[in-house]
Amino acid sequence: RKMSSRRPELKAPPQVYYGVDEARKYTQNSRIIEVQEKCTERALELLALPDDTPALLLDLGCGSGLSGEAITEHGHMWVGMDISPAMLDTALEREVEGDMLLADIGQGVPFRAGMFDGAISISAIQWLCYANSASQKPAKRLYKLFMSLFASMARGSRAVFQFYPENDSQVELIVSQAMRAGFTGGLVVDYPNSSKAKKIYLVLMTGGGSLPSGLQDEGSSSSSQALYQRRERMKQIRSGRLPKRAWIMQKKERRRKQGKEVRLDSKYTGRKRSNKF
């Protein structure tokens, strides 16, 4: 991502770049899957949600649902937004558990005030730093996103954006528009001395709180073992050895035995949806 010629943001608008072929390729690439999972696990950690309490989260730029699967695994509900119909169709084919909306996050978040307990975004917000037409102004689109997001979040909640900036100017643009919209917080940089593992997270808060520290030693994240276990379970599901509904029911039963609150079973549990975006 350091070479500008390799940046997908410079090749085409996201809804064009992530067409049918690219959406499937993206979702089947084992390296991309691993990176997305690790980034999502870290973003959820940075949200600092209350233990054992299901939350409703917003996934901005949810794509094919790779990050949504991690949210579901943590026992939370989620709503996703993405501008690519092909990505969302792939998510439907993969039978992810969240509800999804075809929308441009640069036009704002169209939800009622105080609806979400938190928000995450994995590798998406940098797309708003580029104008795909004369009418698109990156600063205005970022401000629209952050202003509407701030309104839609419960007080005291957080939003975490993992992103790949092209340069320092993009970082400054994104952070400044978030602060202008009313958020507090700042950047958390994991593994700053590693060219390969370095990850940048923008942690935004709607209330008080201190900014978490970045990870210094790769592999020190407490979620590593949980990530491995979840990946093994997802391999079973994808290979057909464990039907998704059965996996969900097993997970619910484990949480009940632990005394945790879970949603009631219904005919929609592990449902397959056939509609297209």
Side-chain angles (χ1 to χ4, degrees):
R1 286 185 179 268
K2 287 190 171 182
M3 296 292 291
S4 61
S5 61
R6 296 177 58 190
R7 296 186 69 89
E9 299 91 347
L10 297 174
K11 296 180 179 179
Q15 66 271 34
V16 175
Y17 181 81
Y18 288 112
V20 174
D21 292 340
E22 191 63 32
R24 288 177 178 166
K25 187 191 308 179
Y26 185 96
T27 310
Q28 294 170 357
N29 185 305
S30 59
R31 180 181 175 278
I32 290 177
I33 292 172
E34 181 179 2
V35 171
Q36 287 284 109
E37 288 178 338
K38 285 184 177 179
C39 289
T40 305
E41 292 284 344
R42 178 60 169 150
L44 290 170
E45 189 177 296
L46 292 170
L47 282 182
L49 295 167
D51 292 336
D52 303 327
T53 302
L56 177 61
L57 305 181
L58 177 61
D59 186 354
L60 295 160
C62 64
S64 57
L66 294 176
S67 51
E69 286 182 331
I71 295 175
T72 299
E73 175 65 17
H74 279 260
H76 303 304
M77 298 166 287
W78 59 279
V79 176
M81 293 177 62
D82 203 276
I83 197 173
S84 166
M87 278 291 217
L88 294 176
D89 284 339
T90 302
L92 289 179
E93 292 171 4
R94 299 176 64 246
E95 302 178 34
V96 298
E97 287 295 295
D99 294 312
M100 293 168 290
L101 173 67
L102 177 63
D104 175 6
I105 61 175
Q107 294 183 357
V109 174
F111 299 103
R112 64 175 173 81
M115 179 171 173
F116 295 102
D117 302 307
I120 69 167
S121 180
I122 307 300
S123 185
I125 197 174
Q126 68 267 10
W127 287 88
L128 296 188
C129 294
Y130 302 88
N132 295 307
S133 69
S135 63
Q136 286 191 350
K137 308 297 182 185
K140 289 184 177 180
R141 284 165 57 76
L142 284 162
Y143 178 67
K144 179 80 171 186
L145 166 63
F146 289 127
M147 180 182 65
S148 55
L149 176 62
F150 186 90
S152 73
M153 294 180 63
R155 297 307 84 172
S157 60
R158 294 183 178 187
V160 177
F161 292 79
Q162 180 272 323
F163 65 108
Y164 297 99
E166 185 177 12
N167 48 49
D168 291 341
S169 296
Q170 287 188 355
V171 175
E172 184 178 347
L173 174 64
I174 292 170
V175 174
S176 65
Q177 295 307 312
M179 301 301 141
R180 182 183 167 213
F183 284 106
T184 58
L187 296 178
V188 173
V189 182
D190 286 350
Y191 320 127
N193 300 319
S194 171
S195 59
K196 183 178 180 181
K198 180 180 178 181
K199 291 292 182 294
I200 298 175
Y201 298 85
L202 175 60
V203 179
L204 301 177
M205 295 175 276
T206 59
S210 58
L211 199 62
S213 300
L215 301 177
Q216 299 297 319
D217 177 29
E218 186 172 4
S220 64
S221 173
S222 61
S223 60
S224 297
Q225 183 61 27
L227 176 60
Y228 171 77
Q229 292 174 348
R230 189 174 74 82
R231 192 174 298 142
E232 289 302 305
R233 287 197 294 273
M234 292 310 299
K235 284 180 181 178
Q236 286 185 315
I237 293 169
R238 290 166 184 156
S239 66
R241 295 197 300 274
L242 181 63
K244 185 155 190 177
R245 181 179 172 84
W247 169 70
I248 293 171
M249 299 300 283
Q250 286 181 14
K251 182 179 68 174
K252 283 187 170 185
E253 186 59 30
R254 286 197 305 272
R255 293 181 69 84
R256 288 192 186 101
K257 289 180 179 179
Q258 293 168 358
K260 298 177 181 178
E261 182 181 348
V262 297
R263 284 179 284 173
L264 295 175
D265 300 332
S266 74
K267 65 180 181 180
Y268 300 108
T269 302
R271 69 195 185 279
K272 180 176 177 64
R273 293 173 288 188
S274 58
N275 291 334
K276 295 282 186 180
F277 282 90

